[in-house]
């Protein structure tokens, strides 16, 4: 789990890169590089207020250990304040 002051979603990751997605720490935030197709899915999920999971790592490996989860919450008291 990583806390961040901001999140940047970059939809310019090429399918030919061999990556599903890539996340990296940038200053005190998180940058997530995703493909155009994943960006379209993310936008639709945000419009529909639905949870969305971005799987990071190589396309061909079954050993994926990193995810970026966008979750909608009912009760804001349980979220990180500040």
């Amino acid at each position: 789990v990583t806390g961040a002051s901001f999140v940047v979603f970059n939809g310019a990751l090429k399918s030919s890169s061999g990556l599903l997605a890539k996340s990296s720490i940038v200053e005190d935030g998180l940058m997530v590089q995703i493909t155009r197709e994943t960006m379209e899915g993310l936008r639709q999920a945000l419009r529909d207020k639905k949870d969305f999971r971005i799987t990071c790592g190589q396309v061909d490996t079954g050993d994926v250990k990193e995810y970026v989860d966008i979750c909608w919450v009912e009760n804001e008291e349980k979220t990180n304040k500040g």
Side-chain angles (χ1 to χ4, degrees):
V1 176
T2 302
S5 296
F6 63 90
V7 178
V8 174
F9 295 101
N10 178 343
L13 185 68
K14 304 289 183 204
S15 299
S16 62
S17 70
L19 295 171
L20 296 167
K22 180 181 176 185
S23 67
S24 53
I25 304 296
V26 179
E27 295 182 15
D28 60 341
L30 179 69
M31 181 170 65
V32 185
Q33 298 174 355
I34 56 179
T35 62
R36 171 185 267 169
E37 296 80 15
T38 304
M39 180 66 85
E40 290 171 7
L42 173 59
R43 286 180 177 168
Q44 189 60 50
L46 292 173
R47 281 188 213 105
D48 297 342
K49 294 186 178 179
K50 303 226 178 209
D51 294 350
F52 192 79
R53 173 173 272 194
I54 299 170
T55 304
C56 299
Q58 296 289 331
V59 172
D60 296 333
T61 62
D63 190 28
V64 178
K65 294 181 181 165
E66 188 174 317
Y67 300 96
V68 176
D69 288 318
I70 295 95
C71 303
W72 293 87
V73 295
E74 294 290 326
N75 185 352
E76 292 185 25
E77 293 177 13
K78 294 181 182 178
T79 60
N80 184 13
K81 294 182 180 179

